[in-house]
Amino acid sequence: MSIERFHVGPRLSDMAVHNGTIYLAGQVADDTSQDMEGQTRQILATIDKLLAEAGSDKTRILSTTIYVTDMADFPAMNAAWDAWVVRGATPPRATVEAQLAKPAYKVEIQVIAAMA
């Protein structure tokens, strides 16, 4: 089986597709001046775009891991998540407090999804 990689850089690819499964790298906000809710909305929009590029969408998400830098911001992240996720298609999810690659990042989201 072949592996298709998207947006390949020197260190990582944004996405890989193999055997009907889409693997997204951890996504972070482009505009880190935003608060937790704003960064989360940006990331979710990027996830929508990447999944569409692979021929899928958020209703096909199999698993999500969310990394937040401060659990005090958990409700703000959830506000953006709850507005985005499709009722009846909410994926399994884990949320972990973690130190991220840059101090300006408040949240990072990684997704595994099925092809449509």
Side-chain angles (χ1 to χ4, degrees), residues 29-88:
D30 291 325
D31 179 2
T32 57
S33 70
Q34 296 288 309
D35 63 7
M36 172 64 82
E37 191 171 346
Q39 286 194 25
T40 303
R41 280 194 306 267
Q42 287 178 56
I43 294 165
L44 296 174
T46 300
I47 290 169
D48 280 335
K49 179 182 164 201
L50 289 167
L51 291 176
E53 188 175 353
S56 191
D57 63 57
K58 62 188 168 188
T59 66
R60 312 277 301 162
I61 295 174
L62 301 171
S63 178
T64 303
T65 305
I66 301 174
Y67 303 94
V68 297
T69 56
D70 186 345
M71 281 304 225
D73 286 333
F74 187 69
M77 182 277 298
N78 272 331
W81 175 267
D82 291 345
W84 176 79
V85 76
V86 176
R87 297 290 172 242

Side-chain angles (χ1 to χ4, degrees), residues 4-17 22-25 27 46-54:
E4 186 176 5
R5 299 180 196 281
F6 295 75
H7 312 285
V8 178
R11 183 167 289 142
L12 60 89
S13 299
D14 278 340
M15 176 172 56
V17 178
I22 303 162
Y23 302 88
L24 270 58
Q27 301 298 310
T46 300
I47 290 169
D48 280 335
K49 179 182 164 201
L50 289 167
L51 291 176
E53 188 175 353

